[in-house]
């Protein structure tokens, strides 16, 4: 099965780098530049995992994650949501978990750690 990964990141350079890396790993990637666009992607596509920046304009990652978790779609509660942020303090990690995110990765992303997290949720 080809997994669909959603990358929600407002900085185009970072989003492009993650997308290229994931595509080279064999994943199909959807992109969004803010949480509102990310929600549209979740509403309109089958997403197997989402990597979501926390600090974004329009709608931040915490609100996007809470909104996804509140959707009436059955899979919305099960989509692994990975927080991606420059903030790695324990309070930040706790806020991510409270928003319904499964993991918390610090920027700059460690490719090996990213692969480990993806493989943890996508077989």
């Amino acid at each position: 099965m080809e997994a669909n990964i959603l990358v929600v990141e407002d900085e185009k350079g970072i989003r492009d780098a993650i997308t290229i890396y994931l595509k080279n790993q064999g994943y199909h990637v959807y992109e969004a530049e803010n949480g509102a666009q990310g929600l549209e992607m979740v509403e309109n596509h089958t997403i197997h995992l989402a990597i979501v920046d926390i600090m974004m304009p329009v709608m931040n990652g915490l609100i996007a994650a809470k909104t996804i978790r509140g959707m009436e779609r059955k899979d919305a509660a099960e989509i692994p949501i990975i927080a991606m942020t420059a903030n790695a303090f324990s309070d930040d990690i706790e806020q991510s978990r409270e928003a319904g995110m499964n993991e918390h990765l610090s920027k700059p992303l460690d490719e090996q750690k990213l692969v480990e997290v993806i493989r943890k949720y996508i077989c």
Side-chain angles (χ1 to χ4, degrees), residues 9-33:
E9 166 62 62
D10 61 316
E11 292 187 37
K12 184 174 177 5
I14 295 171
R15 189 174 64 246
D16 289 348
I18 294 169
T19 296
I20 290 167
Y21 178 75
L22 293 173
K23 284 183 176 182
N24 286 338
Q25 298 298 311
Y27 298 108
H28 181 267
V29 181
Y30 291 98
E31 298 179 54
E33 62 184 49

Side-chain angles (χ1 to χ4, degrees), residues 11 19 27 30-31 37-38 51 60 71 77 88 90 96 102 105 108 114 116 119 121:
E11 292 187 37
T19 296
Y27 298 108
Y30 291 98
E31 298 179 54
Q37 288 180 358
I51 301 168
N60 71 39
M71 288 179 171
S90 59
S96 296
N102 301 82
L105 298 178
L114 178 61
E116 288 173 16
R119 287 185 181 154
Y121 293 99

Side-chain angles (χ1 to χ4, degrees), residues 13-116:
I14 295 171
R15 189 174 64 246
D16 289 348
I18 294 169
T19 296
I20 290 167
Y21 178 75
L22 293 173
K23 284 183 176 182
N24 286 338
Q25 298 298 311
Y27 298 108
H28 181 267
V29 181
Y30 291 98
E31 298 179 54
E33 62 184 49
N34 61 59
Q37 288 180 358
L39 287 175
E40 288 179 27
M41 294 292 181
V42 171
E43 290 171 348
N44 296 312
H45 302 282
T46 299
I47 302 297
H48 299 108
L49 183 136
I51 301 168
V52 182
D53 186 21
I54 298 295
M55 303 296 288
M56 295 181 288
V58 182
M59 179 186 288
N60 71 39
L62 297 174
I63 294 170
K66 287 178 186 177
T67 305
I68 290 169
R69 294 297 186 225
M71 288 179 171
E72 294 193 20
R73 288 176 40 172
K74 180 183 175 186
D75 66 338
E78 300 169 3
I79 298 169
I81 304 174
I82 312 306
M84 173 175 58
T85 181
N87 301 327
F89 298 108
S90 59
D91 289 351
D92 300 306
I93 295 168
E94 183 60 28
Q95 285 180 344
S96 296
R97 296 223 187 270
E98 287 174 2
M101 296 179 159
N102 301 82
E103 301 280 343
H104 189 99
L105 298 178
S106 299
K107 288 181 185 176
L109 287 180
D110 176 317
E111 289 178 359
Q112 184 60 38
K113 180 66 176 169
L114 178 61
V115 168
E116 288 173 16

